[in-house]
Amino acid sequence: MALTLTDQERTLLQNAIRSIPDYPKKGIIFKDITTLLGNGEAFGVLMGHLHRRYASYGIDYVAGIDARGFIFGAALAQMLGVGFVPIRKKGKLPFTTYNEKYALEYGTDEIEIHIDAFSAHPHAKVLLMDDLIATGGTAKAAATLINKTGAQCVEACFLMGLGFLDGMKTLGQITPVYAVIEEQ
Ligand code: AMP
């Protein structure tokens, strides 16, 4: 089975993502994936593609970033027959956590993971999943968290990568990166 998308499939996915100018503030083009989720054909093409790509990676877990990474990550974990681990915004996880701060345009944010999230598999191989990579700050913090637990982030996967920012390059310094669609 083909590991790459056909031109037709790529166009289907691109057209299923809605671009909202000036949201949440002026100058940002927000990539709205709710329209893709609501399109059964496009959602199915995406998940089938990710399933085929990662079936041979020997992944033990998929970890998703709060909140849109949960949707794609949890669906993919089920397709691969592995567990799903949420990486959450500060203060949402009830058990003991590792924390990682990262820079925003103004100030900092913080994400967390349970210290025992991958403990059922020593040296677990983990796929990191989110909807989009922009500056890469969030994903870099998430990959660092995975590695802090003693597990290994084997790849970071995104539905969309904004190629005009350096996020994919920066993240690539600590883990392999894959974006289904790259926007230049
Ligand atoms: P970054 O840390 O800059 O790579 O930002 C990535 C996070 O912010 C992801 O969780 C995305 O969901 C969200 N994000 C950043 N920029 C956009 C955008 N233009 N459209 C939609 N989501 C975005």
Side-chain angles (χ1 to χ4, degrees):
M1 263 190 292
L3 289 178
T4 49
L5 290 169
T6 64
D7 289 346
Q8 204 181 357
E9 288 171 331
R10 187 172 299 281
T11 304
L12 174 71
L13 295 184
Q14 272 161 339
N15 290 343
I17 299 167
R18 177 164 57 185
S19 293
I20 316 252
D22 298 325
Y23 180 89
K25 58 183 181 187
K26 208 162 173 53
I28 304 279
I29 300 174
F30 191 85
K31 298 296 178 182
D32 176 17
I33 53 90
T34 64
T35 41
L36 183 143
L37 295 173
N39 178 333
E41 187 190 0
F43 195 16
V45 163
L46 172 68
M47 295 315 302
H49 170 65
L50 295 179
H51 183 207
R52 285 191 296 281
R53 176 178 177 84
Y54 291 110
S56 63
Y57 272 55
I59 282 162
D60 298 306
Y61 294 92
V62 180
I65 300 177
D66 201 344
R68 290 183 290 269
F70 294 173
I71 302 167
F72 302 107
L76 181 59
Q78 271 296 290
M79 294 173 90
L80 293 171
V82 301
F84 173 77
V85 169
I87 294 177
R88 298 218 61 185
K89 297 271 167 67
K90 186 181 166 63
K92 300 287 185 188
L93 288 172
F95 188 59
T96 314
T97 56
Y98 289 118
N99 302 26
E100 192 68 26
K101 281 204 178 84
Y102 57 97
L104 297 173
E105 199 177 350
Y106 300 102
T108 60
D109 215 338
E110 199 166 336
I111 51 174
E112 305 182 327
I113 194 167
H114 276 150
I115 55 166
D116 62 350
F118 308 115
S119 59
H121 288 272
H123 312 296
K125 292 168 84 174
V126 180
L127 173 69
L128 178 63
M129 182 88 225
D130 202 1
D131 65 330
L132 182 140
I133 178 166
T135 67
T138 317
K140 196 170 177 196
T144 304
L145 277 181
I146 291 168
N147 295 337
K148 264 189 188 178
T149 67
Q152 183 199 355
C153 181
V154 292
E155 188 151 283
C157 174
F158 306 88
L159 167 51
M160 181 168 272
L162 302 184
F164 52 87
L165 296 171
D166 270 344
M168 295 179 69
K169 225 186 286 173
T170 312
L171 182 61
Q173 290 163 4
I174 61 165
T175 187
V177 181
Y178 175 63
V180 178
I181 297 167
E182 277 189 57
E183 193 146 300
Q184 301 306 324

